[in-house]
Amino acid sequence: MSQDWDAGRLDSDLEGVAFDTLAVRAGQHRTPEGEHGDAMFLTSSYVFRTAADAAARFSGEVAGNVYSRYTNPTVRAFEERIAALEGAEQAVATATGMAAILSVVMSLCSAGDHILVSRSVFGSTISLFEKYFKRFGVQVDYVPLAELSGWDAAIKPNTRLLFVESPSNPLAELVDIAALAEIAHAKGAMLVVDNCFCTPALQQPLKLGADIVVHSATKFIDGQGRCMGGVVAGRAELMKEIVGFLRTAGPTLSPFNAWIFLKGLETLNLRMRAHCASAQALAEWLEQQDGVEKVHYAGLKSHPQHALAQRQQRGFGAVVSFEVRGGKEGAWRFIDATRLISITANLGDSKTTITHPSTTSHGRLAPQERAAAGIHDSLIRIAVGLEDVADLQADLARGLAAL
């Protein structure tokens, strides 16, 4: 792109526009070609006008692309769009959601620092903290997600980060994000929120006081189970450190995947409304069925944090978990009897998925760790897609008949 190029009227004026408009248009900077769709820059490197131009770019004296390990126009468009939707100063895209968590800790923590993590997090997240971060001298302790007094009591003088999923995977537990942020800040720590289940369409943790938001873009941001990616968003001073880590270590998002995620964001709000409506209907139906012992969904009045979910979220999400009669054997019979829903551990897809958490996503945890996290052998998780809800209900009825 010519340095003299001025997009002028070709770029959209987004001052004061609403969420849905940002989801469609934020981050797009048109090239001299005048393209209407988001451009895809499939290049590993960039050319410079002169040796002096190259030196200025590499030193950071002049802004511009250097190498796609850490700067790419398509990836940058995705980052700017996520930042706009989350209300962040800056976002940084990564190769996966787990790479997003890795980048936060490696960029902002050192040996001897202490991190508090909710017990109610994804199994791979626990493995990352337990098997790898601890190996390099980072201290890690776990706290029940909803117990604010427990968080307050567990913070140490060297506590650097508090890390939570809210809602959690797979039990849809919540924490009062604003209250937890106050606790963290009062003792000099930062709050990191995994916002994967809600997406910015349903919840904006930064506006509630969190310092950093992370996502697995593989899930609802893509929305169709096509690509892997992650993203971190927050204040520019913090994101600068994460950019430095990506520049060196390289857990970078590919331009093609960034382009897919840009397309996913265009329909994010519409999809999340549909996901939520179907999940609510199925949760209410499951709660009335013989053979279902408990349903975990914040949209239900029976959920202990229903009022909190109403206050800090704009919807209850697409993930419904429930416990069935018969333990592991009963859960497996239920899953195997379905004929429409996909048996897979992924979520956030237009296709509804079903899985047995204690032997898949949380299967690498020790039995006592699963018990502490509330992951029972009788638990089934469904991530509700965009199919007709009556067809999904009929398929779940096949599972119930097998109990």
Side-chain angles (χ1 to χ4, degrees), residues 220-245:
F220 295 103
I221 287 173
D222 175 3
Q224 296 186 47
R226 297 165 293 190
C227 293
M228 302 189 78
V231 66
V232 185
R235 297 192 303 276
E237 62 182 289
L238 300 176
M239 297 305 103
K240 180 180 179 180
E241 297 298 321
I242 294 169
V243 169
F245 175 72

Side-chain angles (χ1 to χ4, degrees), residues 118-157:
S118 163
R119 284 188 182 143
S120 305
V121 293
F122 179 48
S124 291
T125 302
I126 294 175
S127 295
L128 182 61
F129 280 97
E130 284 293 306
K131 295 183 178 180
Y132 301 102
F133 293 147
K134 281 188 173 182
R135 184 187 301 175
F136 293 97
V138 176
Q139 302 169 21
V140 182
D141 287 310
Y142 298 89
V143 181
L145 177 60
E147 295 180 12
L148 294 174
S149 60
W151 289 98
D152 192 30
I155 294 177
K156 302 177 181 179

Side-chain angles (χ1 to χ4, degrees), residues 291-357:
V292 175
E293 297 180 335
K294 188 173 184 179
V295 181
H296 303 272
Y297 186 67
L300 296 174
K301 293 180 180 179
S302 59
H303 191 284
Q305 297 167 301
H306 178 67
L308 174 61
Q310 288 180 307
R311 187 168 74 248
Q312 73 181 16
Q313 299 173 198
R314 291 185 291 274
F316 301 113
V319 178
V320 180
S321 293
F322 54 99
E323 298 175 41
V324 297
R325 183 177 59 222
K328 173 185 169 182
E329 291 74 20
W332 280 22
R333 286 197 301 272
F334 185 109
I335 292 169
D336 290 347
T338 60
R339 291 293 177 267
L340 174 68
I341 298 172
S342 305
I343 304 175
T344 178
N346 194 32
L347 58 93
D349 201 312
S350 56
K351 301 178 180 68
T352 299
T353 66
I354 189 168
T355 191
H356 185 241

Side-chain angles (χ1 to χ4, degrees), residues 48 60 65 102 150 191 267 280 286 289 294 314 335 375:
F48 310 101
N65 297 307
L102 172 72
L191 175 60
T267 61
Q280 182 74 37
L286 282 165
Q289 302 308 304
K294 188 173 184 179
R314 291 185 291 274
I335 292 169
I375 310 299

Side-chain angles (χ1 to χ4, degrees), residues 21-79:
T21 304
L22 291 173
V24 172
R25 292 184 176 270
Q28 184 174 16
H29 304 285
R30 293 189 172 90
T31 75
E33 301 295 338
E35 70 282 351
H36 188 231
D38 295 285
M40 193 188 309
F41 289 85
L42 299 179
T43 182
S44 59
S45 62
Y46 305 86
V47 297
F48 310 101
R49 295 183 175 188
T50 63
D53 179 30
R57 298 268 195 96
F58 269 83
S59 69
E61 178 184 343
V62 173
N65 297 307
V66 175
Y67 192 59
S68 279
R69 185 170 70 241
Y70 52 98
T71 59
N72 178 279
T74 310
V75 175
R76 185 164 59 249
F78 169 62
E79 292 170 336

